Amino acid sequence: MSGPAKGDVVEITGKAQLVEFAESGCKPKEAWRIGTEHEKFGFNLETLEPLPYDGPSGIRAMLEGLQRFGWQPDYEGDNVIALTMKGYSVSLEPGGQLELSGEALETLHQTCTEVHTHLAQVREVGDEIGVGFLGLGFSPKWSLDETPMMPKGRYQIMKNYMPTRGQHGLDMMFRSCTVQVNLDYGSEADMIKKFRTSLALQPVATALFANSPFTQGKPNGHLSHRSFIWTDTDPDRTGMLPFVFEDNFSFEQYVDYALDVPMYFVYRNGEYIDVSGQSFRDFMDGRLPGLPGEKPSLVDWDNHLTTIFPEVRMKRFLEMRGADGGPWRRLCALPAFWVGLLYDDGALNAAWDLVKNWTEEERQSLRDGVITTALQTKTPDGRTVRDLAADILDISSAGLKARKKLDSFGEDETHFLNALKTTVETGITPAEEMLALYNGAWNGSIDPVFKDYAY
């Protein structure tokens, strides 16, 4: 979860400004970029316990150590809660998960270099202070009570509000990790096709990246438990957004949806003001109970958009949100998967053709099924997700090849899909690989995961 948005404070005078805000994301194809975000669990190398904020092996020590590489600290009160450098940042999730929000980059080669550089920096500091990091989609060992909360005001507001809306909101906050990619659109029509195609195909990404089969040291019955917890987190702000597939879908319709999502907070003078459950529409009319008489700015709107969590989210770009966190090669594979599908017209058309006739019920059934059966889930046409994923990877590979983005050795971007192609060829997801180890070489213990799956 990102920190508060920043920018010029422009008061909102009507809904048209919010539509224009979304439209302002439209860019010519040559300006399309790739922004990758990934989260990871920190743990004490000696005790395998989660990292507190303070202490010699804590999150604060990690953030202070990373500053040697040129990162600049951001504070909330006396606590450093993020680092920034150029166009990207390192921030904290509620339970201390460390997130890199990457720079907007032109190629996947640059993206993978960014990932590799960040993880090398994290390892250098972590080795010095006795800390490791784990690439999974859900905390494999720790209970909620054992998981610390980071000192950020918005997290206390969310912690209080989440249990009123669903059973698993706190699990989402404190015990999950994901990898996401932010991608651009060229026009409203381009946004619509990309939104619909990527939303329909999020379950394929969930299956390919399924990597969260354990809870509190035992198998939890799911291959993507992270995906499961999103099914009962907060129905107001999650899900598969059926309205995106309606004939009249537009920037304006997404704005109307976002306006109806209850607020969490308003950020003023370095502090988060709790307005949880209150209406942004009332805020625009100056009738927000938490701030009577005050009206919002576009910065407030930008902040509000960060509190909406569907499987695909629109701000001034589209954010792919269906995948579990994982090892570093998969951190490169996720943006490759979506760039190949969405940034080449031929690939986008081919992918849309595969899903355009699915019904709302079929899309939802697929999304629910991959939680437990991943690649073996049946698709609307009676095949398996494994079969569908093979077709989608072929389309994505063709899209990457057509981009002709070469590295210094003359290689294009298609090799970033290799990890996913192996998953389809074997039919074994990362979660199933771990379960086999748990039932075999690990002898029913979860502790080896902290060695075998650490960065």
Side-chain angles (χ1 to χ4, degrees):
M1 297 174 195
S2 56
K6 299 174 183 178
D8 295 333
V9 178
V10 178
E11 184 176 306
I12 299 169
T13 58
K15 188 176 76 171
Q17 281 173 275
L18 307 183
V19 176
E20 291 169 1
F21 183 84
E23 290 174 336
S24 71
C26 294
K27 298 180 178 69
K29 190 169 185 176
E30 59 270 19
W32 293 354
R33 295 293 182 265
I34 307 161
T36 305
E37 304 177 18
H38 51 89
E39 304 161 355
K40 46 212 165 286
F41 296 106
F43 63 93
N44 186 293
L45 287 170
E46 183 176 340
T47 66
L48 306 184
E49 294 174 345
L51 304 182
Y53 180 76
D54 287 309
S57 298
I59 289 291
R60 184 199 291 269
M62 171 60 62
L63 294 178
E64 290 174 346
L66 287 172
Q67 291 173 44
R68 73 184 66 168
F69 301 107
W71 293 96
Q72 299 300 307
D74 280 355
Y75 289 88
E76 190 169 311
D78 294 330
N79 297 315
V80 56
I81 46 85
L83 305 171
T84 59
M85 185 193 300
K86 296 186 296 183
Y88 54 118
S89 66
V90 174
S91 58
L92 302 179
E93 294 296 292
Q97 308 97 311
L98 198 68
E99 178 180 12
L100 177 72
S101 296
E103 191 175 0
L105 299 169
E106 185 177 354
T107 74
L108 293 164
H109 309 295
Q110 295 168 332
T111 295
C112 212
T113 296
E114 176 187 74
V115 169
H116 181 76
T117 299
H118 169 68
L119 293 179
Q121 293 176 357
V122 166
R123 279 195 300 270
E124 179 177 317
V125 177
D127 286 347
E128 293 173 3
I129 64 174
V131 165
F133 283 87
L134 191 62
L136 268 71
F138 195 79
S139 171
K141 185 178 175 74
W142 315 310
S143 69
L144 270 173
D145 288 343
E146 292 170 323
T147 305
M149 186 173 79
M150 297 298 102
K152 294 178 68 172
R154 68 183 287 174
Y155 294 157
Q156 185 61 57
I157 292 169
M158 292 173 66
K159 183 180 180 182
N160 294 340
Y161 181 72
M162 282 291 194
T164 71
R165 302 301 301 133
Q167 295 187 51
H168 300 302
L170 298 184
D171 283 330
M172 180 279 290
M173 290 178 63
F174 292 97
R175 298 202 287 175
S176 71
C177 278
T178 186
V179 52
Q180 300 168 179
V181 63
N182 303 322
L183 298 175
D184 291 314
Y185 43 77
S187 64
E188 185 169 64
D190 185 51
M191 177 278 293
I192 291 169
K193 181 174 279 191
K194 286 175 175 173
F195 208 146
R196 289 172 175 169
T197 303
S198 60
L199 194 52
L201 288 174
Q202 285 304 314
V204 176
T206 300
L208 286 168
F209 287 82
N211 192 35
S212 46
F214 302 113
T215 302
Q216 293 176 218
K218 302 291 183 182
N220 53 38
H222 302 132
L223 297 179
S224 178
H225 191 67
R226 183 205 60 84
S227 188
F228 169 74
I229 64 174
W230 278 110
T231 64
D232 193 8
T233 288
D234 183 343
D236 292 330
R237 66 188 76 239
T238 62
M240 290 290 285
L241 305 186
F243 69 86
V244 170
F245 297 88
E246 294 175 0
D247 290 342
N248 63 342
F249 180 59
S250 62
F251 285 128
E252 183 175 7
Q253 194 176 6
Y254 191 86
V255 166
D256 283 331
Y257 157 73
L259 281 170
D260 288 331
V261 173
M263 299 176 67
Y264 282 155
F265 60 83
V266 175
Y267 188 72
R268 290 290 184 273
N269 302 316
E271 295 186 357
Y272 290 93
I273 299 169
D274 187 349
V275 295
S276 52
Q278 297 176 28
S279 163
F280 205 97
R281 293 185 190 274
D282 287 346
F283 197 7
M284 289 175 64
D285 291 336
R287 296 184 291 106
L288 190 70
L291 286 172
E294 188 164 343
K295 292 190 175 184
S297 70
L298 284 176
V299 172
D300 294 317
W301 177 246
D302 207 4
N303 279 326
H304 179 57
L305 292 177
T306 70
T307 69
I308 302 173
F309 310 123
E311 293 296 285
V312 176
R313 175 166 68 184
M314 183 169 68
K315 292 189 276 189
R316 284 176 286 184
F317 47 81
L318 295 175
E319 183 178 81
M320 310 294 118
R321 299 178 51 83
D324 287 1
W328 83 265
R329 289 190 183 279
R330 286 178 170 267
L331 301 182
C332 302
L334 188 277
F337 179 80
W338 290 115
V339 167
L341 292 177
L342 303 184
Y343 271 11
D344 175 72
D345 290 341
L348 178 57
N349 288 334
W352 174 237
D353 283 344
L354 288 177
V355 303
K356 64 184 180 183
N357 294 321
W358 293 357
T359 66
E360 176 184 339
E361 292 74 19
E362 288 169 337
R363 291 190 297 270
Q364 187 61 49
S365 177
L366 194 64
R367 188 258 180 270
D368 294 339
V370 294
I371 291 168
T372 305
T373 51
L375 294 175
Q376 302 313 312
T377 309
K378 291 296 184 182
T379 65
D381 62 1
R383 300 191 299 161
T384 64
V385 169
R386 182 183 179 186
D387 297 327
L388 175 61
D391 290 346
I392 291 297
L393 285 172
D394 284 344
I395 294 170
S396 179
S397 186
L400 293 177
K401 189 176 292 290
R403 273 167 52 83
K404 298 179 180 177
K405 301 291 186 181
L406 308 181
D407 64 12
S408 58
F409 300 101
E411 268 198 281
D412 65 22
E413 299 169 311
T414 56
H415 66 93
F416 293 114
L417 295 175
N418 286 348
L420 304 184
K421 290 179 179 179
T422 298
T423 295
V424 169
E425 288 166 3
T426 63
I428 300 172
T429 63
E432 290 163 309
E433 180 184 275
M434 279 192 290
L435 286 168
L437 287 167
Y438 176 85
N439 291 313
W442 294 355
N443 295 315
S445 170
I446 198 63
D447 287 356
V449 78
F450 291 93
K451 179 180 179 182
D452 293 357
Y453 285 82
Y455 289 113

